[in-house]
Amino acid sequence: MRELGLVLLCLLPISRKGVQCNGWSVHVPSDVTGELGKMVILPCTFTHPYKSFDRALTAIWRIREPYNGTVIFKCVSQSSSELCRTAISHKNKYKLLGNPRHKDLSIRVENLTWSDSERYFCRVELAGDIQDKYESRNGIKLHVIAAPRIINITVSSSRDHTFQARCTAEGEPAPALSWSGPPEGSPGWGGGSGHRVSKELRSLSHDGKYTCTAANSHGRAEAALYLYSFRAPDSSSFRILIFVPLGIKVVLLLAMLSFAFFSREGPPSAPSSLARAQLPECTYKNCARRERSPRAAGAPPRLPLPREQSQPAQRKETSEIIAGQTELDF
C-alpha cells in the first residue's frame, strides 16, 4: 500500500458567512492491491469541524468516477447511538468495517474477481440545515493480482497435415509463456489482452511431450500435451490385418454351427434290456412234447416259484396251449 493521500473537497457547504472548508478532509490511499479470489480492505477516514454531530449521517462508495459513478455501497445512521445500517451492497460483497460516527468509512471487498479492478471513491453526507457532502476526488485504485494459471491447451491440424498447439493462460501481471519439448517445433503467434495471454507452437512433426510454461512475479504454472500421430500401414499389411481376423471368425462360426447340429440329433438309442423275448411259434403237439421232454443234461434244476408267482405263469402257459389247439382245429 502506498502512502496515504490527502484529498479535500467541499461541495455546497455554503452558509451566510461563505464557503466553509476549514476542518474538512478525506484521507485515502492512492492504490490498494488484492489477490484474486480473496478479500481486501479499502480504507477511508475523514474529519469535520464539529465537536459533536448527532444528526443523520450517510456513507457512500462509488466506482469508476466521482459524483456520478455507480453506487456499490451505502449505509445510513440516524443518530450517534445507532449503527450505520446497510442500504446498498452490490452482490452482497461489500461490508462496512469502520464506524462513520468515529470518522471511519472503510469497507471490505469479498471474493475478488478481475472485474473488481476499478477506482473507488468514498463519500460522507451530514444532514442538517445546510447539508454537507464530502467525497474523495482521486479515489483508490484497486489492483487485483494473481499467480499464473493455464486455462487450456488446444491442438489443431492444418492443410499440409501438420499439427499446431495453442496455450492460453491468465495472471496479473500477464504471464510470459514458453514451449518446450521435441525438436523442430517452430514458435507461432503470441499475444493477448489484459491478464490473459496465448502462444502457439507450429509444425509439430515429432511424437512426444510438449510442455507449456507460464510465469510471472507471483508464481509459475505448467501444463503438457502428448502428441502421437497415426501412420497408416502399407497395402499388404493392411490386408493381413483385415482378412486374418475375418477368417478366424468364419472358422469359429462354422465350428459353432456344426456343434449345434450334431448335438440336436443326439446318440442312437440302444435296445432296451427289459424288452420281453419273443416266444417261438409252436403247435399244440410241439408244445406238449416240449413240456414232456426231459431236462437237458447239466442244466441246473429250476427252483420252485412261490405260489403267488407260479399261478399266473401256469395260466399263461395254459392260454398259449389252448390258442395253439384252436389254430389246429380250424
Side-chain angles (χ1 to χ4, degrees):
M1 187 182 298
R2 301 180 184 178
E3 293 184 355
L4 293 176
L6 175 62
V7 178
L8 173 63
L9 177 64
C10 299
L11 298 177
L12 304 177
I14 302 174
S15 65
R16 295 177 183 177
K17 295 182 180 180
V19 178
Q20 301 292 327
C21 291
N22 294 330
W24 282 97
S25 64
V26 178
H27 299 265
V28 295
S30 58
D31 298 88
V32 170
T33 300
E35 189 174 349
L36 183 70
K38 298 185 178 181
M39 56 83 66
V40 70
I41 295 176
L42 302 180
C44 175
T45 58
F46 69 96
T47 63
H48 60 73
Y50 306 107
K51 292 182 179 181
S52 62
F53 188 84
D54 193 35
R55 287 172 290 185
L57 181 150
T58 303
I60 297 174
W61 281 85
R62 303 178 188 272
I63 59 172
R64 298 189 182 92
E65 58 179 343
Y67 319 132
N68 297 321
T70 304
V71 176
I72 58 170
F73 179 82
K74 179 180 179 180
C75 71
V76 180
S77 173
Q78 298 296 337
S79 64
S80 59
S81 61
E82 180 181 298
L83 296 177
C84 198
R85 297 185 178 181
T86 301
I88 298 175
S89 178
H90 182 63
K91 296 183 179 179
N92 199 31
K93 66 184 301 179
Y94 302 95
K95 308 293 182 183
L96 181 68
L97 287 184
N99 186 345
R101 292 293 174 179
H102 295 166
K103 305 173 185 179
D104 190 351
L105 306 179
S106 302
I107 61 172
R108 181 180 65 203
V109 186
E110 304 281 354
N111 190 21
L112 288 177
T113 62
W114 295 119
S115 61
D116 293 325
S117 296
E118 295 283 356
R119 189 168 291 275
Y120 294 78
F121 304 87
C122 63
R123 176 186 179 97
V124 60
E125 297 179 355
L126 304 179
D129 296 336
I130 299 177
Q131 190 176 29
D132 296 331
K133 302 177 182 179
Y134 299 91
E135 184 169 347
S136 59
R137 173 174 293 181
N138 294 328
I140 307 170
K141 176 59 180 177
L142 174 59
H143 301 275
V144 178
I145 62 172
R149 182 177 71 94
I150 295 179
I151 300 174
N152 59 43
I153 295 180
T154 58
V155 179
S156 59
S157 60
S158 57
R159 295 181 179 179
D160 57 354
H161 304 290
T162 60
F163 295 96
Q164 59 185 16
R166 171 179 287 189
C167 177
T168 303
E170 66 178 9
E172 185 62 36
L177 295 180
S178 61
W179 281 99
S180 61
E184 296 189 12
S186 60
W189 174 88
S193 60
H195 55 270
R196 181 170 294 188
V197 292
S198 298
K199 189 170 185 178
E200 289 184 350
L201 184 65
R202 297 178 179 175
S203 302
L204 304 182
S205 57
H206 285 71
D207 294 348
K209 177 183 177 181
Y210 294 84
T211 303
C212 174
T213 303
N216 66 5
S217 57
H218 302 293
R220 177 188 178 96
E222 290 184 351
L225 68 88
Y226 296 84
L227 179 65
Y228 295 99
S229 56
F230 174 77
R231 296 176 178 83
D234 56 8
S235 59
S236 60
S237 301
F238 181 75
R239 291 177 182 176
I240 293 175
L241 291 175
I242 293 297
F243 290 107
V244 169
L246 183 60
I248 293 174
K249 292 180 180 179
V250 171
V251 172
L252 292 176
L253 180 61
L254 292 176
M256 292 173 64
L257 292 176
S258 301
F259 177 77
F261 176 77
F262 288 108
S263 63
R264 185 177 298 176
E265 287 187 352
S269 58
S272 176
S273 60
L274 300 178
R276 181 175 175 273
Q278 189 176 1
L279 295 174
E281 295 183 359
C282 63
T283 61
Y284 170 75
K285 294 180 179 181
N286 292 335
C287 290
R289 186 180 299 111
R290 186 182 301 170
E291 291 293 333
R292 292 193 301 269
S293 61
R295 299 184 184 274
R302 181 181 299 177
L303 296 177
L305 296 174
R307 185 177 182 180
E308 294 180 355
Q309 297 180 2
S310 61
Q311 290 180 358
Q314 293 176 0
R315 285 196 298 268
K316 184 175 182 180
E317 292 178 357
T318 305
S319 61
E320 291 178 355
I321 295 173
I322 294 173
Q325 185 178 2
T326 304
E327 291 178 1
L328 292 175
D329 290 342
F330 282 102

